[in-house]
Amino acid sequence: MNYPYVTEFRQSLINWFEQEKRDLPWRHTKDPYKIWVSEVMLQQTRVDTVIPYYNRFIESFPTLQLLAEAPQEYLLKHWEGLGYYSRARNLQAGVREVLENYGGIVPDNRHDISKLKGVGPYTAGAILSIAYNKPEHAVDGNVMRVLSRVLNIHDDIAVPKTKKIFEAAVEELIDPAHSSSFNQGLMELGALICTPTSPKCLLCPVRDYCTAFYEGFPEKLPVKSKKTKMKHIYYNVFVCEDSTGRLLMEQRPEEGLLANMWQFPMIEQGEDCIETFTKLYGVQAQEQQEILTFKHIFSHLTWHINSYYMKCTTTLNGQWLTREQIELLPMPVPMLKIWQKIK
């Protein structure tokens, strides 16, 4: 591809970013480890949500070594509430690989950094460009939205191979001397100005080079086909307390959704659900009262939850824990909601 006004486009974007960028904690460092942490946290999560998590995480794990050595439950407790917990486990695995294979220095080239657990093309490009100022593409949803409008690209961004088109475009457009500001500028432009609906075109620093602006329909791009249908599952959650005040808990499997997180027993709703629960866990329920009814939405799955408190006899099934012990366990957001209510 041959783009006109490349130099002007670069300069306008970089100047705007340097003047208007948000003051975010990970922008105060060039440490590739800390930038890596921020990029992993920012996947699927809003900036405002990430900031306190990032600050707390870096305070507890300021170095790769400390993160590598952390017990998984302690790590997941720091991630509690951020969701997509495999990100935390992959980050720790990747950090351990850096210590074992690269002498504790995050690789500064795409070939090596892409070998690390959990580091895909976007994360690799973000670390390389932001920390090392390497002219590497870092294409996320914001970048695809901006460039689809600027360059009039109508390929469906929900199709994985379409990302290659945008990666090639960034490689041609990126300023080799200011790669960090260029890539962050594209991301920031998508976050603040070139938004999915009602883009603020009159405030845009690169509107003079934007095809969609001149054609008058920027919100029609990017083209994105519909997501897969949402699956709905209905659960009853049982908070069981024994005569000593301990509560019945269980740990989720090592693989799959919310792996290794702790929860109150969950039974899929159906006929005789309470009877199924008492048989499965070998408890006798003496009284029961409703706690909360709510739904929790994952990316392709919604849990509909009814939760109940009951006095139970102690059994050998599950783990009976004190409230102080439970407070230290990593729990997913739906369980935290119930926990906060009964505390």
Side-chain angles (χ1 to χ4, degrees), residues 72-284:
Q72 192 173 102
E73 275 195 359
Y74 185 60
L75 166 64
L76 291 176
K77 190 67 182 171
H78 279 72
W79 209 270
E80 186 181 72
L82 265 182
Y84 301 95
Y85 295 92
S86 60
R87 293 182 296 171
R89 288 186 286 270
N90 288 341
L91 175 62
Q92 187 178 50
V95 161
R96 286 171 176 166
E97 289 170 8
V98 170
L99 288 166
E100 289 167 18
N101 303 329
Y102 300 100
I105 298 169
V106 179
D108 65 353
N109 63 86
R110 190 175 284 272
H111 176 267
D112 288 333
I113 201 170
S114 297
K115 293 178 183 176
L116 301 175
K117 181 81 172 174
V119 176
Y122 167 77
T123 305
I127 297 167
L128 292 172
S129 60
I130 297 170
Y132 293 118
N133 202 35
K134 301 269 184 175
E136 295 279 355
H137 60 75
V139 174
D140 66 355
N142 281 327
V143 171
M144 288 195 284
R145 183 167 60 255
V146 170
L147 292 184
S148 70
R149 292 169 177 174
V150 171
L151 303 175
N152 201 29
I153 297 172
H154 285 255
D155 298 76
D156 183 357
I157 66 167
V159 177
K161 66 180 182 181
T162 299
K163 193 171 265 193
K164 298 286 184 193
I165 297 169
F166 291 95
E167 288 172 352
V170 171
E171 285 177 351
E172 290 203 38
L173 292 172
I174 196 166
D175 187 332
H178 303 95
S179 304
S180 174
S181 292
F182 180 89
N183 273 350
Q184 289 186 85
L186 282 179
M187 298 171 203
E188 194 81 336
L189 194 65
L192 300 182
I193 304 291
C194 198
T195 49
T197 56
S198 307
K200 306 174 183 70
C201 294
L202 296 180
L203 299 175
C204 179
V206 296
R207 74 163 185 262
D208 290 349
Y209 318 107
C210 180
T211 308
F213 172 71
Y214 280 111
E215 292 189 353
F217 300 103
E219 54 282 322
K220 288 190 174 180
L221 289 171
V223 173
K224 186 177 184 181
S225 55
K226 291 270 194 269
K227 280 185 177 180
T228 54
K229 196 174 179 183
M230 179 72 75
K231 183 181 179 183
H232 295 265
I233 306 180
Y234 295 79
Y235 285 112
N236 283 346
V237 175
F238 298 100
V239 179
C240 247
E241 186 172 10
D242 72 6
S243 58
T244 67
R246 294 180 306 167
L247 300 171
L248 181 60
M249 298 290 290
E250 62 184 9
Q251 193 169 19
R252 292 180 66 87
E254 289 183 8
E255 301 290 333
L257 181 67
L258 305 173
N260 287 333
M261 303 294 280
W262 287 80
Q263 65 183 25
F264 301 107
M266 288 173 65
I267 303 287
E268 200 162 339
Q269 288 177 21
E271 198 174 337
D272 298 325
C273 188
I274 291 178
E275 189 178 327
T276 302
F277 163 69
T278 54
K279 279 185 181 176
L280 193 62
Y281 291 88
V283 297
Q284 287 187 321

Side-chain angles (χ1 to χ4, degrees), residues 25-41 54 57-59 61-64 91 106 127 131:
W26 45 88
R27 288 185 175 157
H28 294 274
T29 182
K30 288 293 180 186
D31 181 342
Y33 160 66
K34 292 176 181 174
I35 289 164
W36 185 3
V37 171
S38 73
E39 289 299 336
V40 171
M41 285 188 169
Y54 173 83
F57 195 92
I58 295 300
E59 189 176 328
F61 312 113
T63 65
L64 291 104
L91 175 62
V106 179
I127 297 167

